[in-house]
Structure formats: C-alpha cells, structure tokens
C-alpha cells in the first residue's frame, strides 16, 4: 500500500530518514577518504622507483585499499537510492528483547557502537525474511540453529531515497508488491530481484556449495538471476576461504555475458571470471583455433526449403554432432589413446656403456600397468625418474669398481716394481685412465636418458585428435559396433575436412581438451572453486564431464531448461544423465523451478500449448504467476511487406505505452536482415543483434530466435509464424517456444499465408 496509508508510516519514515542521513554522512566520509587515497597513489606513482621495495609495497597496499573504497562508495550510493527492502522482527528463545532487522543489498554498521543499521541479504538471519512465516521460526548460522518467534515481516519500496510503499506480509512477497515488481520494465528486473526472491529460489541460492546442484527451471523462472545471486551469496559466505576470482560463470555466448555484465557489480561482487565454454576451452587447449559459428549449423537444421539430398546430408551432420558430443565418443578416445600408448615407448632396452640398466619389458610394464591411471606425460616423467635413479645407483657401483680396480693395479705395481720414473708413469696412467672412464661415464649418463626419452613418440592433443578422426577403420574398431558404419565413415570424412580448412567446431573442443587431460593432465593452475553454468541444456554431458575432470576440486551449479534445448542434437537430453555420468559416485541435487515470473498468464498458456506439441514427458510446463495481460495477438498479412508495415506500426504503439525494450524475433539471421531492410525502408531503425556485440544496449532490436534465449523484453513481435517457417519438428517447436517466452508484457505474432499448426 502507499507508505502514507500504512499505520506504521511515521515510524518507518523516521527510520528511513535516520538511515539515509547516516548513509549520507558515511558517503561523504568515504568520498574524502577516496580523494585522499587517489592523491596518495598519484604521489607514489610520480616518485616510484623499481629499486625501492618500500615504494612497491606502498603502491600495492594503497591500490588494494583504493579498490575496496571504490566498492564501498558504489554500495553507499546505491543505498542512497534504496537503503533496504525488508524488515523482520524476531524474538529469540530465552531472550527478552525483540530484534528489529532491516534487510538490504549490503550491510551498514554504525561506527559509534558497531550496531547494524542494515543487514546484508546474504546473512544467515536474513533467511527469516525469505523462508519463514510468522510464528515459530528458525534460521541456521555457524553456531547452529537459532529458534524463536517471527513477529513481523515487512516490505518496502523506495524511489530515489523516498519511501513509497510499505507492506506487511507473511510469505516472502506480498502479491501486490510482486505484481509491481513483475510489472517493471525489463531493464530494471535483473538488478531488483533481491527484494522479491521466492522461497524456492532462495533455497537454490543458499544451497550447500560442495553438493553439485542441477536446476531445471522453466522459462522465466529466474534461472539467470538466481545464478548471479548464488555467486554473490557464496562469495559473501566463504569470503575468508575464497576470493571472487575463485568463482566462474559460463554463459552461452558473449551477448549473454554483456546482458548480465552490470548485475554482479550491483550485487557488490567483482572479479568473478565470466566466460563462454568456447573461450575457456581455447584457453585450456592453448592453441589458436578458429571456430565455426555454432549457430550457422543450427540454421542448416531449420532450413526446410532444400532438396532431399541436402536434407539427408544435414541429417548426417546432425548425427556427427550428436556422436562427437556423446560419452560414447569419450570411450572411443580412451581406446584410441590406449592404442597409441602401446607404441609410445621405443622398443629397446635402456643401456649405458653397453650395459643393460632397464629391460624394455620392465619399462613398458611401468608405463602401461604400474602408472596406468596417470596422464601419459606424467608417466613418462616418472619413468625418466626411474631411469635416473637406476643409472645413479649403477653409476656409483661402476665408479666404485673402477676405483677398486685402479687401487689394486697401483698396489700391484708398487709390489712388483721398485720406485722409479717408469713405475710413477704407470701409476699416473692408471689414475688418468680411471678418471677418463669416469668422465666419459658421467657425460654419457647425462645424455643417455635424454636420448632414450627423445625416442618416445611426440604427444600433441590436437594432432592426435586429427589422426584419430582420419582413421575410419580405427574409429570403427574402437566403437565396437555401437555406431553405424556410415556415421563413423562420415564423421571421419566431415570432421577431417573441417579441421583441414583451419577451423574446428564446438563439438571438437571437449574431445581435444579430454585428450590433453589424458596426455598431460591439467598442469595449468586453475584457481576456480565453483562454476555456475547457465543455459546448461545446450551443453553435452561430455562437455560437463570434461569441465568436472579438469577442475577436480571445484563444485558446480548447473541451470537450464530442457524445453529450450535448441541445440539438443549436441546438448543434454536428461539431467539424470548428468547426475550419473558427470557426478557418478558423488551425491548431487536436482531441483525444479516450475513457477514462471517473467510473462503474463495469457502469454505463458499460449507458449505451453506450443511446447506440449513435443509429447515429451521430461519437459515440464511452466506455471505462470497470477499476472494477467492481453492475449497474444495473431495477425495475418498478405505479404512480408505488409508484415513489415504492421511491425513498424506495432513498435510505435508499444513505445507509446512506455515500453523501453522491444524485440522483433525472426527465426533466422537471413529473415532478420530481410525484415530489417523492409523496416528501414519505412523509416523504422531497429538494431540487429548478431551475437557478436561488445555491449547490449536494449531499445528496439531484431534478433534471431536462437540468440533470444536467456533474454527478456517488455514486448515481443514474432515476424512470421507461418506453417512453412515453423513446421512440427522438435527444433522448430523449441525455437517458437523460446521466442514466445521472451516478453514481460505483450506478444504480437504475424504470419503470412497459413498459420503454423503449433498455434492453430
């Protein structure tokens, strides 16, 4: 309700004024400290000398303090706008006083007495706000479970520091407050979710860091915002053990990373590694590979106006992608590496000065059996140590023997000959001969091990991968009849052709990393301890398996929606496969988020009808919150020129309603270009999203369906939902579903000719 109508308005107004006044004082003080710090760093830099360790230490320390001050300033400035969003009154058992706690994005402590003015939303006690109802309540903290009575839960909304609304609630969010949040424009929602986190979302955010977590979340269920808030929560909770650099988020593409780029700083979190699987994989492989655009392949699969021969060819390419993304392909790589291991060592004994120090059979047994669980290069290094130790032992024995022989010869000469120049010369010759043999032995010893190890076959993961793919007979043998011969043959031909062109495909990256893992291990020190993967339905089980094994001590949060698996030919088809094959032997959790907070009941029901055409029991329909709006519009036009004119008028209409982000979603990039050209000719100037943008600016955009995944807009216009554009194939169903679940408020669908049966 409006703040002034609430019976506790005066109390809450005075509290907000007091807190804001304190924030203002703290902000002014922080600005002064920051200015002083900037000045000090400037002075140090002017006088800096690399020869002075004191200068270096001062610069490092002051730079660290400068960074923490900048973060504090940003938090205080944000608090001037919205100091807090919730309040809980809690009386702990066996205590007389009631704690009145105000909850915000960051904590604020009064310097005079160290009392908390604002409690950080990530603090254990804040769980009372998110999960407990009035009455008996409990929250967990490092000291154990704290029990008591929750007397009050209250929600606030501020606008530029002014208290606007106050709601007394029982569950997490008052319906009216949530409706207000959901009715906001798309450009503010990612940043404001912390005030409306629901109980099921909160459980995911605060789940145990070390239990692998898989979240199947419906479109609009808040997966991305949950992912970001989970990182913020874990950094806060484990701040003594880990740094922000120990956390990594893997997103589907760079556009998506740009889309979320402002959220982590808003949550007071920086320096988290944000990357795509492609970029991270290339970093691990350490070789400059040019990648084919994965979306280009997807486009060939949704292109229906092609001949029968092309359709068959595309079908084979799809099967190749599915094959290379499978765990069966991982098993084939294992067999291939075994075959290479058998010929890796030189088939000869290790000899020094014509003496056999190690038989070939003994060395090979160490390599193939004793150390079989180790990466190849680690095994070779261990064998080198064995050779060195054996040589050292034998060498000492030989040298001792030479000294004994020399001493014996000298003794004999002294017995048999009188002291003379001839005897002295023979003794010196014996000593020189001994020393020469020892010197030659030392020289040869150093060289012998290196010469032997040089005879081992060269190990290059990328070359091994190319070699494996070019060996169709080997692939067929290693697959043990589990794959059709024509698929094996085509895999070799197609993949070899791609690699020879100087490119690689996304599906090639996990196998190359895996070969490197098997050959070298991961000698690079990867400091990541927790990985959050968003839109994980488009990751293969093999990709996830590789990530798990290259960063063995890390934990995972995996979020996705099988209903939006537009790359399912190379993606995950079942979360149970991930649990069994990636986290085998380790307990993992699978949680469902069925509630959709993004769009209206009318739009979500229309989208659910489309996804139900899949007839797939593993796909769970989203349940929209009770927020109503206009029915999705279906508008038939005679031509694409008429559709473009209609889209232009619809954009104008949406802008007049105050919508700031409007997307025209086309199926492919070619359709985007065609619609963009027509819209330009009638004076409309939307921007095409290609996926290669360095920044996402919002506004009016044209975007292909496969890049719209994960994004949201105030209003969406689907350019053409004709029957020939969206036939009843699994991929077309998912692309249309993705497009229909992007809008917050309104959806308009144009079509030319006959409407797709998915919407009929």
């Amino acid at each position: 309700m409006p703040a002034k109508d609430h019976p506790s308005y005066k109390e809450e107004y005075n509290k907000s004024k007091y807190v804001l006044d304190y924030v203002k004082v703290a902000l002014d003080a922080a600005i002064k400290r920051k200015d002083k710090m900037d000045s000090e760093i400037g002075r140090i830099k002017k006088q800096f000398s690399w020869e002075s360790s004191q200068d270096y230490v001062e610069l490092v320390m002051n730079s660290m303090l400068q960074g923490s001050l900048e973060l504090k300033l940003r938090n205080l400035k944000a608090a001037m706008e919205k100091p807090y969003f919730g309040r809980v009154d809690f009386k702990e058992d066996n205590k007389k006083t009631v704690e009145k706690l105000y909850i915000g994005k960051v904590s604020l402590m009064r310097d005079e007495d160290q009392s908390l003015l604002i409690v950080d939303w990530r603090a254990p006690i804040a769980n009372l706000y998110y999960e407990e109802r009035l009455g008996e309540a409990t929250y967990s903290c490092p000291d154990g479970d704290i029990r008591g009575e929750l007397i009050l839960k209250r929600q606030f909304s501020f606008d530029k520091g002014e208290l606007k609304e106050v709601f007394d609630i029982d569950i997490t969010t008052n319906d009216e407050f949530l409706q207000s949040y959901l009715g906001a424009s798309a450009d503010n929602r990612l940043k404001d979710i912390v005030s409306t986190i629901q109980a099921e979302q909160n459980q995911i955010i605060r789940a145990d860091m070390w239990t692998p977590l898989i979240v199947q979340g419906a479109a609009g269920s808040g997966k991305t915002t949950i992912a970001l808030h989970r990182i913020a929560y874990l950094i806060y909770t484990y701040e003594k053990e880990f740094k922000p650099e120990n956390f990594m988020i893997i997103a589907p593409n760079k556009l998506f990373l740009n889309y979320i780029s402002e959220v982590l700083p808003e949550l007071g979190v920086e320096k988290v590694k944000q990357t795509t699987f492609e970029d991270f994989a290339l970093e691990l492989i350490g070789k400059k590979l040019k990648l084919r655009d994965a979306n280009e392949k997807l486009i060939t699969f949704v292109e229906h106006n092609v001949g029968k021969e092309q359709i068959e060819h595309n079908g084979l390419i799809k099967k190749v992608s599915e094959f290379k993304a499978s765990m069966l392909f991982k098993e084939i790589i294992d067999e291939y590496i075994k075959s290479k291991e058998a010929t890796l060592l030189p088939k000869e004994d290790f000899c020094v000065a014509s003496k056999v120090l190690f038989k070939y059979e003994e060395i090979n047994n160490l390599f193939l059996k004793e150390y079989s669980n180790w990466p190849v290069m680690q095994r070779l290094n261990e064998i080198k140590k064995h050779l060195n130790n054996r040589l050292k032992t034998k060498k000492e024995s030989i040298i001792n023997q030479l000294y004994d022989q020399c001493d014996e010869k000298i003794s004999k000469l002294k017995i048999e000959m009188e002291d003379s120049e001839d005897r002295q010369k023979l003794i010196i010759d014996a000593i020189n001969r001994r020393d020469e043999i020892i010197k030659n032995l030392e020289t040869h010893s150093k060289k012998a091990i290196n010469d032997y190890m040089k005879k081992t076959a060269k190990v290059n993961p990328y070359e091994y991968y190319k070699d494996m793919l070019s060996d169709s007979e080997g692939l067929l043998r290693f697959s043990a009849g589990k794959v059709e011969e024509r698929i094996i043959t085509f895999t070799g031909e197609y993949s070899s052709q791609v690699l020879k062109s100087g490119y690689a495909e996304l599906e090639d990256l996990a196998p190359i990393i895996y070969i490197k893992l098997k050959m070298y291990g991961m000698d690079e020190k990867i400091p990541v301890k927790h990985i959050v993967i968003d839109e994980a339905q488009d990751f293969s089980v093999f990709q996830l398996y590789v990530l798990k094994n290259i960063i063995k001590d890390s934990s995972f949060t995996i979020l996705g929606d099988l209903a939006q698996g537009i790359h399912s030919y190379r993606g995950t088809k079942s979360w149970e496969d991930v649990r069994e094959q990636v986290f085998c032997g380790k307990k993992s959790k699978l949680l469902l988020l069925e509630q959709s907070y993004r769009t209206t009941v009318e739009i979500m029901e229309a989208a659910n009808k489309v996804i139900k055409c899949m007839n797939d029991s593993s796909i769970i329909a989203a349940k929209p919150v009770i927020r109503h709006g206009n029915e999705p519009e279906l508008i038939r036009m005679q031509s694409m020129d008429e559709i473009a004119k209609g889209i232009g008028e619809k954009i104008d209409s949406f802008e007049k309603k105050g919508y700031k982000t409007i997307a025209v979603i086309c199926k492919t990039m070619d359709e985007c270009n065609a619609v963009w050209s027509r819209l330009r000719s009638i004076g409309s100037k939307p921007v095409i999203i290609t996926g290669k943008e360095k920044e996402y600016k919002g506004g009016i955009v044209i975007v292909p369906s496969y890049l719209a995944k994960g994004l949201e807009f105030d209003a969406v216009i689907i350019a053409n939902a004709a029957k020939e554009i969206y036939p009843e194939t699994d991929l077309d169903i998912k692309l249309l579903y993705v497009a229909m679940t992007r809008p917050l408020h309104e959806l308009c669908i144009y079509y030319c000719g006959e409407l797709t049966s998915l919407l009929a």
Side-chain angles (χ1 to χ4, degrees), residues 50-272:
W50 283 107
E51 294 175 3
S52 170
S53 59
Q54 182 64 30
D55 282 358
Y56 177 75
V57 170
E58 278 189 37
L59 185 61
V60 170
M61 292 300 294
N62 280 294
S63 295
M64 288 172 66
L65 289 170
Q66 185 185 46
S68 63
L69 265 175
E70 285 172 354
L71 180 58
K72 186 173 182 178
L73 269 174
R74 190 161 52 244
N75 289 340
L76 287 169
K77 285 175 182 176
M80 284 298 296
E81 299 281 320
K82 296 177 183 178
Y84 47 81
F85 55 79
R87 168 183 164 180
V88 291
D89 289 4
F90 182 67
K91 182 181 174 298
E92 191 178 328
D93 286 350
N94 303 319
K95 286 191 178 180
K96 293 179 180 179
T97 57
V98 175
E99 289 184 275
K100 295 180 180 180
L101 303 164
Y102 287 80
I103 300 165
K105 283 188 177 180
V106 290
S107 64
L108 181 65
M109 191 174 284
R110 190 163 52 198
D111 291 334
E112 304 91 270
D113 57 4
Q114 300 299 296
S115 64
L116 276 170
L117 294 177
I118 304 172
V119 175
D120 192 297
W121 69 273
R122 297 167 290 185
I125 200 168
N127 229 22
L128 292 169
Y129 172 80
Y130 289 116
E131 291 193 19
E132 293 297 310
R133 304 190 71 160
L134 298 179
E136 288 184 10
T138 307
Y139 72 92
S140 298
C141 69
D143 294 333
D145 289 347
I146 308 298
R147 301 180 186 280
E149 182 185 1
L150 184 58
I151 298 166
L152 176 77
K153 278 176 76 173
R154 189 167 283 169
Q155 241 162 357
F156 310 95
S157 68
F158 285 84
D159 183 19
K160 296 179 180 177
E162 184 182 348
L163 183 61
K164 287 290 186 182
E165 293 175 306
V166 180
F167 297 98
D168 286 339
I169 58 173
D170 185 6
I171 54 175
T172 305
T173 304
N174 172 282
D175 279 347
E176 189 180 345
F177 188 88
L178 183 59
Q179 293 280 3
S180 172
Y181 159 74
L182 295 176
S185 60
D187 56 349
N188 289 323
R189 283 162 47 90
L190 272 180
K191 299 176 186 177
D192 288 341
I193 188 181
V194 71
S195 60
T196 55
I197 292 169
Q198 303 297 291
E200 70 272 16
Q201 295 172 325
N202 185 58
Q203 286 162 13
I204 294 167
I205 290 168
R206 295 173 187 259
D208 174 50
M209 175 172 165
W210 299 109
T211 301
L213 186 63
I214 302 167
V215 179
Q216 161 58 40
S221 59
K223 294 184 295 296
T224 299
T225 45
I226 288 168
L228 300 176
H229 285 73
R230 176 155 170 74
I231 288 177
Y233 169 76
L234 292 174
I235 289 172
Y236 172 88
T237 305
Y238 294 95
E239 65 177 341
K240 291 181 180 176
E241 292 95 329
F242 305 120
K243 298 175 182 176
E245 296 94 312
N246 298 137
F247 295 82
M248 176 166 72
I249 183 162
I250 301 180
N253 52 53
K254 289 178 181 176
L255 172 67
F256 194 85
L257 284 174
N258 182 265
Y259 180 66
I260 64 173
S261 61
E262 292 182 14
V263 181
L264 287 173
E266 284 279 336
L267 292 170
V269 174
E270 291 182 292
K271 297 182 182 177
V272 170

Side-chain angles (χ1 to χ4, degrees), residues 189-434:
R189 283 162 47 90
L190 272 180
K191 299 176 186 177
D192 288 341
I193 188 181
V194 71
S195 60
T196 55
I197 292 169
Q198 303 297 291
E200 70 272 16
Q201 295 172 325
N202 185 58
Q203 286 162 13
I204 294 167
I205 290 168
R206 295 173 187 259
D208 174 50
M209 175 172 165
W210 299 109
T211 301
L213 186 63
I214 302 167
V215 179
Q216 161 58 40
S221 59
K223 294 184 295 296
T224 299
T225 45
I226 288 168
L228 300 176
H229 285 73
R230 176 155 170 74
I231 288 177
Y233 169 76
L234 292 174
I235 289 172
Y236 172 88
T237 305
Y238 294 95
E239 65 177 341
K240 291 181 180 176
E241 292 95 329
F242 305 120
K243 298 175 182 176
E245 296 94 312
N246 298 137
F247 295 82
M248 176 166 72
I249 183 162
I250 301 180
N253 52 53
K254 289 178 181 176
L255 172 67
F256 194 85
L257 284 174
N258 182 265
Y259 180 66
I260 64 173
S261 61
E262 292 182 14
V263 181
L264 287 173
E266 284 279 336
L267 292 170
V269 174
E270 291 182 292
K271 297 182 182 177
V272 170
K273 186 177 178 71
Q274 300 173 56
T275 187
T276 62
F277 178 80
E278 293 92 324
D279 286 347
F280 187 52
L282 292 175
E283 192 181 313
L284 293 170
I285 292 167
K287 178 181 174 63
K288 289 184 179 179
L289 289 175
K290 292 185 288 184
L291 287 182
R292 283 188 172 179
D293 186 346
N295 291 317
E296 287 180 9
K297 183 184 284 189
L298 179 70
I299 291 164
T300 65
F301 299 155
V302 298
E303 182 58 67
H304 304 293
N305 298 321
V306 292
K308 184 180 177 183
E309 191 175 318
Q310 186 62 46
I311 289 173
E312 288 178 358
H313 181 74
N314 291 346
L316 282 171
I317 292 175
K318 188 183 284 190
K319 286 186 178 294
V320 167
S321 295
E322 190 173 358
F323 174 45
K324 289 198 292 187
S326 70
M327 290 297 280
L328 173 59
F329 197 60
K330 175 251 173 199
E331 292 171 16
I332 289 171
I333 291 172
D334 287 335
E335 292 302 316
Y336 167 75
I337 290 174
K338 277 185 188 176
S339 74
K340 298 298 285 186
E341 287 174 357
T343 59
L344 204 62
L345 294 176
K347 289 191 175 180
E348 57 185 66
D349 301 330
F350 175 62
C351 304
V352 174
S354 302
K355 294 196 175 189
V356 176
L357 301 190
F358 252 117
K359 297 286 288 179
Y360 163 71
E361 290 77 14
E362 193 180 356
I363 299 171
N364 206 38
N365 183 66
L366 285 171
F367 183 69
L368 295 180
K369 292 183 181 176
E370 293 290 325
Y371 302 119
S372 59
N373 292 328
W374 293 9
V376 168
M377 292 309 294
Q378 197 174 339
R379 284 187 258 169
L380 290 176
N381 288 335
E382 201 62 27
I383 283 169
K384 191 174 180 179
K385 288 180 189 175
H386 274 275
L387 298 181
N388 195 49
N389 290 336
R390 180 75 60 89
L391 179 59
K392 188 179 178 182
T393 304
K394 290 287 184 182
K395 187 173 69 175
E396 285 175 2
S397 174
I398 292 168
I399 289 171
N400 289 335
Q401 192 177 355
L402 284 169
Y403 269 101
D404 290 343
Q405 287 173 353
C406 184
D407 290 345
E408 189 179 332
K409 189 170 184 179
I410 291 170
S411 297
K412 192 176 180 182
L413 284 170
K414 285 181 177 180
I415 293 168
E416 294 176 353
M417 292 181 69
E418 290 183 6
D419 188 10
S420 63
E421 285 188 15
D422 288 342
R423 190 181 82 171
Q424 193 62 27
K425 185 175 180 301
L426 288 171
I427 289 173
I428 290 169
D429 285 346
I431 292 170
N432 287 341
R433 175 66 181 154
R434 178 200 68 193

Side-chain angles (χ1 to χ4, degrees), residues 465-518:
Y465 184 59
K466 284 205 302 185
D467 178 68
M468 184 186 83
L469 288 169
S470 63
D471 182 9
S472 292
E473 287 184 13
L475 281 175
L476 198 60
R477 186 171 67 255
F478 300 141
S479 68
K482 294 176 184 176
V483 185
E484 291 179 62
E485 186 173 347
R486 70 187 186 110
I487 302 301
I488 291 283
T489 304
F490 188 77
T491 297
E493 292 171 355
Y494 172 78
S495 299
S496 295
Q497 186 181 4
V498 170
L499 294 172
K500 279 178 186 174
S501 72
Y503 281 83
E505 294 186 316
L506 176 63
E507 299 92 309
D508 295 314
L509 298 179
I512 295 171
I513 296 171
Y514 183 65
I515 292 173
K516 182 174 181 180
L517 181 67
K518 295 285 284 184

Side-chain angles (χ1 to χ4, degrees), residues 610-621:
V610 169
I611 202 63
K612 282 175 183 175
C613 295
M614 288 277 297
N615 290 319
D616 184 343
S617 59
S618 67
I619 291 176
I620 301 166

Side-chain angles (χ1 to χ4, degrees), residues 594-605:
E594 298 178 70
Q595 200 77 46
S596 176
Y597 300 96
R598 177 183 295 136
T599 196
T600 63
V601 171
E602 290 74 15
I603 293 173
M604 200 68 242
E605 286 180 347

